[in-house]
Amino acid sequence: MRRFVNLNGQMVSSAEAKIDLYDHGFLYGDGVFEGIRAYNGRIFKLQEHVDRLYHSARALMIHIPISKEEMTERIKAVVRENGETNCYIRVTVSRGVGLGLDPRHIRHEPTIAISTADLALYPPDMYENGLHVVTVSTRVPPAQSLDPRIKSLGRYINNILAKMEANRVGAGEGLMLNIEGYVAEATGDNIFVIKHGVLHTPPPSAGILAGITRATVMMLAEEMDIPVRETMLTLYDVYTADEAFLTGTAAEVIPMVTLDDRPIGTGKPGEMTHRIIAAFREHTQSSGTPV
């Protein structure tokens, strides 16, 4: 399937899309990005994703030379051009072009690339049977080094290393801790645990990305009268939870049934997890920005 990409305001085929060899995003991971989903011709949480993109860029002092409204229109245009109704959308913004770390010596014309793709983060059977997860040794970066609310390109090398750890032992996912040893997040997802009917998830201060899917699940849970708590969690809290699941734009909501060979609850996706998955799927099909 031939797909088009919006590269710096120009619609080109993905085969023709090229970036400069000295783009700072390519050389140093110096940029920000967002992953967004479209369902039934509607882009889910588009404004929230665009807002976070601009907040991340501001925190890194990257000037995006177009308005949020223009960015929104470019995103919608790519989805329309590719005739997509259900897809994953990737928006990447680098600082600019130039060799060397010092931003004073580069051309401050950010590369802005918007593309669509099919993305299945986990096999379908894992959504039915749940993920087997292991704790990995790679830690999330401390907030004193890089604020976890910044969705930057370079930060994700840690997540890639953690994913490789999980892959080496055949696990479906890897759970990352912070420097203090508290539970943070999976390699690409936020984590929730259920204990005695209460939904718990680590707070942003634990070093997690404040996920948009995470926030959506918290909102839906409250609408379903499920208490939600942002809580510092240890591995013990996950081992002894009644249920657990992961959330993310690409992953959506997926059950987690074991951690480090210990069954969580019954070792099968739980009743409350199923309710939350159903509510999330219903929500994605009925809301969003029309393309």
Side-chain angles (χ1 to χ4, degrees), residues 178-278:
N178 63 19
I179 297 299
E180 290 77 30
Y182 289 101
V183 170
E185 59 189 4
T187 66
D189 315 306
N190 293 118
I191 182 172
F192 287 83
V193 300
I194 299 165
K195 188 74 170 180
H196 303 313
V198 178
L199 194 59
H200 299 270
T201 189
S205 58
I208 69 164
L209 177 73
I212 290 170
T213 304
R214 171 183 178 271
T216 302
V217 164
M218 293 169 74
M219 176 198 73
L220 292 172
E222 290 175 349
E223 290 178 357
M224 298 161 67
D225 294 322
I226 299 172
V228 181
R229 305 281 185 270
E230 289 188 305
T231 314
M232 296 297 282
L233 300 172
T234 67
L235 287 174
Y236 176 87
D237 295 315
V238 185
Y239 294 151
T240 61
D242 299 323
E243 303 177 38
F245 59 87
L246 306 178
T247 66
T249 294
E252 301 175 303
V253 182
I254 185 166
M256 172 178 162
V257 293
T258 70
L259 177 62
D260 301 331
D261 290 329
R262 295 161 173 85
I264 297 171
T266 64
K268 296 180 180 179
E271 183 269 338
M272 191 176 290
T273 298
H274 281 305
R275 287 176 58 203
I276 290 170
I277 290 173

Side-chain angles (χ1 to χ4, degrees), residues 16-234:
E16 298 168 341
K18 310 293 183 194
I19 65 167
D20 194 289
L21 178 64
Y22 294 126
D23 184 273
H24 248 230
F26 173 69
L27 289 180
Y28 305 110
D30 186 12
V32 296
F33 76 100
E34 283 292 322
I36 313 171
R37 290 290 286 261
Y39 299 93
N40 289 337
R42 293 174 174 268
I43 303 176
F44 188 63
K45 301 290 183 181
L46 177 57
Q47 193 58 57
E48 288 88 340
H49 281 286
V50 171
D51 286 345
R52 187 169 67 180
L53 179 75
Y54 278 74
H55 291 159
S56 294
R58 176 174 291 186
L60 294 183
M61 294 184 69
I62 295 174
H63 173 65
I64 300 179
I66 61 173
S67 67
K68 289 183 180 181
E69 291 75 20
E70 173 63 21
M71 182 69 76
T72 297
E73 288 306 312
R74 287 189 187 183
I75 293 168
K76 291 163 63 176
V78 172
V79 177
R80 285 197 303 269
E81 186 70 27
N82 288 326
E84 307 275 18
T85 54
N86 298 281
C87 66
Y88 180 83
I89 306 160
R90 172 69 180 239
V91 183
T92 307
V93 180
S94 76
R95 187 180 300 277
V97 174
L99 185 59
L101 288 173
D102 193 341
R104 293 176 299 179
H105 301 153
I106 72 171
R107 187 170 75 246
H108 288 267
E109 297 174 5
T111 300
I112 304 174
I114 305 168
S115 60
T116 65
D118 299 319
L119 180 63
L121 200 59
Y122 304 110
D125 67 290
M126 289 187 176
Y127 287 88
E128 294 297 322
N129 303 317
L131 282 170
H132 298 281
V133 180
V134 294
T135 305
V136 297
S137 62
T138 304
R139 302 294 178 101
V140 298
Q144 296 93 325
S145 300
L146 180 63
D147 193 303
R149 290 171 293 184
I150 301 171
K151 196 170 176 68
S152 64
L153 298 175
R155 174 185 186 270
Y156 280 81
I157 190 64
N158 260 41
N159 300 63
I160 292 168
L161 290 172
K163 185 64 176 177
M164 291 166 64
E165 280 192 67
N167 289 345
R168 283 197 292 271
V169 296
E173 188 51 278
L175 183 65
M176 302 174 73
L177 308 179
N178 63 19
I179 297 299
E180 290 77 30
Y182 289 101
V183 170
E185 59 189 4
T187 66
D189 315 306
N190 293 118
I191 182 172
F192 287 83
V193 300
I194 299 165
K195 188 74 170 180
H196 303 313
V198 178
L199 194 59
H200 299 270
T201 189
S205 58
I208 69 164
L209 177 73
I212 290 170
T213 304
R214 171 183 178 271
T216 302
V217 164
M218 293 169 74
M219 176 198 73
L220 292 172
E222 290 175 349
E223 290 178 357
M224 298 161 67
D225 294 322
I226 299 172
V228 181
R229 305 281 185 270
E230 289 188 305
T231 314
M232 296 297 282
L233 300 172
T234 67

